[in-house]
Amino acid sequence: MAERARVAIFISGRGSNMAALIYAAKHEECPFEVVLVASNDPEARGIALARAEGIDTFVQSHKGHERAAFDEIMEHAARDAGADYIVLAGYMRILSEAFVSRWKGRMLNIHPSLLPKYPGLDTYARAIEAGDSLSGCTVHLVTGELDSGPILGQTEVAILPDDTPDRLASRILIAEHQLYPRVLADYVSRELDPDWLVQKVGELALELPETHARTSHGAPGWRVGTEKSGKFFAYVSIHHHGEETVALLVKTSGPDEMAALIEAEPDLYYKPAYYGASGWIAVRLDTGTVDWDHIAGWLRKSWSAVAPKKISGLIAVAEEF
Ligand code: GRF
């Protein structure tokens, strides 16, 4: 199994969703591990539980700190713990935009309503008062706007005729505890799915001028130029020639650059079978934590290396990226 995604959980109180995530991560096939539980409230009950489970904790009151400065303190703790993802679980803070944008696509939240209905507080009472027959919970990516990022998963929970907000809350909580670990597991695993990786590389490759997709000996590839005479600038190699890896193949300037890259980062780069001889390097995509800006940079560089002059003038490519 690939390395497990490293998750930092931010809480402010009870921490029952945190507990559900910790217990889910005990299963040996769970694709994430909880590397840190952090709280802005020294009294948060979840902290004692996390400690008892042997998980590193970080506690820092937000009082007396500017919002952005406090976010940086929490973020620092997450980075120190080597977190790939930040998972908010009852974390009662509005987050600064800069913090949110630094974790774009890597920060999740759970909310006790069927978003986009009832963002914010008092979701149970609002659903009951509105006469809704259904409520539920939502896991979504965190964006700059409160409770409104892309939805990753939802569970519907029926509202009973005599429901009170508390009774409804306790049933929604049961649904939350099942939903969050499952959605998080699926989300962190998406980057291990070759189809998802090919789609993602394709999106980036086709953003470059005059490009199209074309398979080559069964491998997904992308070319620059016309359909008739275009040249390949990228391939995705999926367990090619018995290799265990899924990797992006892109063109280097030659054997020296290739050797230097492989020596500097042997876990990321390798010389692919056959293609390696003509200057193609393999950049691993099966790490679970791909740096997509880095991949986009490689695609641009490779595109420039093979594009005919009249097209390659269309974009300036930085030497370093
Ligand atoms: C949950 O209802 C969650 O949806 C909301 O805050 C509550 C946190 O509960 N964001 P807990 O701390 O996980 O028990």
Side-chain angles (χ1 to χ4, degrees):
M1 189 167 103
E3 261 183 44
R4 307 214 280 168
R6 298 170 65 85
V7 167
I9 305 177
F10 285 12
I11 64 168
S12 296
R14 179 176 56 185
S16 69
N17 278 287
M18 172 210 75
L21 293 164
I22 290 173
Y23 301 149
K26 289 189 178 191
H27 193 283
E28 62 179 17
E29 281 178 18
C30 182
F32 62 83
E33 62 180 312
V34 180
V35 294
L36 181 76
V37 172
S39 177
N40 64 311
D41 184 347
E43 306 292 309
R45 275 191 283 148
I47 290 293
L49 192 155
R51 282 197 188 123
E53 292 291 350
I55 292 172
D56 285 345
T57 56
F58 176 82
V59 178
Q60 168 78 57
S61 169
H62 58 274
K63 289 187 186 140
H65 294 276
E66 295 280 336
R67 186 175 303 285
F70 182 73
D71 285 352
E72 276 178 32
I73 293 172
M74 295 291 281
E75 181 180 9
H76 202 260
R79 287 199 194 278
D80 271 356
D84 305 310
Y85 294 88
I86 291 179
V87 170
L88 309 180
Y91 185 57
M92 302 303 281
R93 301 276 305 157
I94 304 279
L95 306 175
S96 61
E97 255 184 65
F99 175 44
V100 170
S101 76
R102 283 195 293 276
W103 287 81
K104 184 169 179 245
R106 295 193 180 273
M107 198 189 307
L108 284 70
N109 183 40
I110 188 157
H111 182 77
S113 79
L114 294 174
L115 291 172
K117 268 190 157 181
Y118 313 125
L121 298 174
D122 297 327
T123 55
Y124 319 106
R126 284 153 74 199
I128 291 170
E129 271 158 33
D132 293 356
S133 57
L134 273 181
S135 185
C137 49
T138 304
V139 174
H140 64 96
L141 289 175
V142 176
T143 58
E145 216 177 313
L146 184 71
D147 299 331
S148 54
I151 290 172
L152 301 178
Q154 290 185 310
T155 302
E156 292 179 348
V157 172
I159 298 181
L160 305 182
D162 58 351
D163 254 343
T164 61
D166 281 353
R167 280 207 288 264
L168 178 58
S170 61
R171 287 204 314 287
I172 290 180
L173 197 60
I174 297 172
E176 289 184 38
H177 296 163
Q178 319 230 359
L179 182 70
Y180 215 174
R182 181 169 60 72
V183 170
L184 180 61
D186 286 352
Y187 188 67
V188 303
S189 305
R190 76 207 185 288
E191 294 198 0
L192 300 174
D193 172 1
D195 291 341
W196 188 89
L197 292 168
V198 168
Q199 188 199 322
K200 179 84 185 172
V201 169
E203 281 166 19
L204 295 173
L206 296 176
E207 275 174 17
L208 296 164
E210 315 234 0
T211 49
H212 57 271
R214 176 79 56 93
T215 49
S216 166
H217 303 287
W222 294 269
R223 309 200 314 168
V224 51
T226 62
E227 287 281 347
K228 208 168 154 215
S229 63
K231 285 181 162 178
F232 282 98
F233 66 98
Y235 305 90
V236 172
S237 158
I238 305 170
H239 311 305
H240 199 54
H241 296 292
E243 288 162 350
E244 279 180 11
T245 51
V246 178
L248 171 71
L249 306 191
V250 278
K251 195 94 172 144
T252 60
S253 59
D256 291 348
E257 186 187 9
M258 188 166 353
L261 287 164
I262 293 168
E263 196 189 330
E265 286 183 90
D267 292 338
L268 183 62
Y269 295 109
Y270 65 95
K271 183 173 171 179
Y274 303 99
Y275 289 88
S278 44
W280 294 83
I281 196 165
V283 190
R284 303 244 340 230
L285 295 172
D286 57 350
T287 56
T289 52
V290 174
D291 177 346
W292 289 103
D293 291 338
H294 184 245
I295 294 297
W298 263 116
L299 289 167
R300 284 168 75 90
K301 184 170 142 86
S302 189
W303 180 97
S304 302
V306 304
K309 282 277 165 298
K310 64 176 188 329
I311 304 180
S312 63
L314 291 175
I315 55 172
V317 176
E319 279 295 301
E320 300 283 334
F321 56 83

